[in-house]
Amino acid sequence: MDIILASGSPRRRELLSRAQLDFTVMSVDIDETPHANESPKDYIERMVATKADAAVQQLNATSREEDADKDVESRLVLTADTIGVLADGKTVLVKPTSREQAYEMWQQMSDTAHEVWTAVQVTLIARSAHLVPCDNAAAHAAVHTPKQPVWQVVSQQQLTERTEVTFIPLTAQMMREYWDSGEPQDKAGGYGIQGLGAAWVSRINGSYTNVVGLPLAQTLALINTLSQHSSASVS
Ligand SMILES: Cc1cn([C@H]2C[C@H](O)[C@@H](COP(=O)(O)OP(=O)(O)OP(=O)(O)O)O2)c(=O)[nH]c1=O
C-alpha cells in the first residue's frame, strides 16, 4: 500500500522509518490557530483532519490522471498533531515562540506530571477512475462528472493517544541552558524527550513514541485497518 506521511516533522519521519514501511513524505502548511473555547482533543483532531484535507488538495493540484502510475489505485495519507496538556486537562502546551513563553510553560511543568497527546489520522484515498460506484446513479456520475479529481477520499480513521510525563524540579539555570540549546523551539511543550529533554523526565506512563510525536504501534494498527478497507472499495 502506497503511504504518504504528510508531515514536516523529522521525528515522525524517523519514527515511521523504524517500522520498515516504504513511504513518501510531503509537507502541508495549515492555520494551527485554536478556535475559541476549543477543547484540546477537538483541536488536535481538527488539526489532523485539516492536514489530511490539505494533503489531498495538494496531491490533486499536482496530479494528472494521465500521469498517475496506473498500478497505484489507492494510497494512505498519514497525519499527526502533538500537544502537551497540563493536569487541569485544559491548558495546552504549545511550541514556544519565545524564551519567556517557554519559561512560563516549564514553570507549570516543573516537579509534576503533564500529558502529551498525539492525534493520528489515516486517510484512504483512491483514484477516481477506480472507485467502485455504489449504485447506477453514482456509476453515471462517476463517468460523466467533468474534471474528477485524480484522488478522492474513501474513508478515514483517527485515534488520540495520551502519555503521562513527569518532570523533575526545574531551576532557572536549567531552563536558561535548555532554551539556549535550541532544542525547545519546534516542539510541543518546548522539550524533546528523545534529546536533551530526557534529563528532565523522571518517569512516563504510556507510549514513549507518542511523546516524540507518533504512537508507532497504534499508528501501524490504524494503517493495517485502512489497508484492509482498500480492497473493499477499490476495483
Ligand atoms: C513532546 C515532544 C514533542 N516533539 C515534537 C513532535 C512534533 O514534531 C512537535 C509537535 O508539533 P506538531 O505541530 O504536532 O508537528 P510539526 O509541526 O513538527 O510537524 P507537522 O505539523 O508538519 O506534522 O513536537 C518532540 O520531538 N519530542 C517531544 O518530546
Side-chain angles (χ1 to χ4, degrees), residues 7-9 11-12 32 51 80-82 95 116 186-188 191-194 211-213:
S7 170
S9 169
R11 279 76 57 175
R12 291 196 175 111
E32 300 201 17
K51 288 176 183 179
D81 198 73
T82 301
K95 292 178 218 165
V116 174
D186 64 342
K187 297 179 182 61
Y191 73 97
I193 194 170
Q194 72 279 15
V211 181
V212 180

Side-chain angles (χ1 to χ4, degrees), residues 7 23 82 88 92 100 128 135 137 150 162 178 181 183 188 213 234:
S7 170
F23 63 96
T82 301
D88 65 8
V92 174
E100 293 68 31
S128 305
D135 58 33
V150 174
R162 303 180 183 188
Y178 192 36
S181 76
E183 183 171 283
V234 178

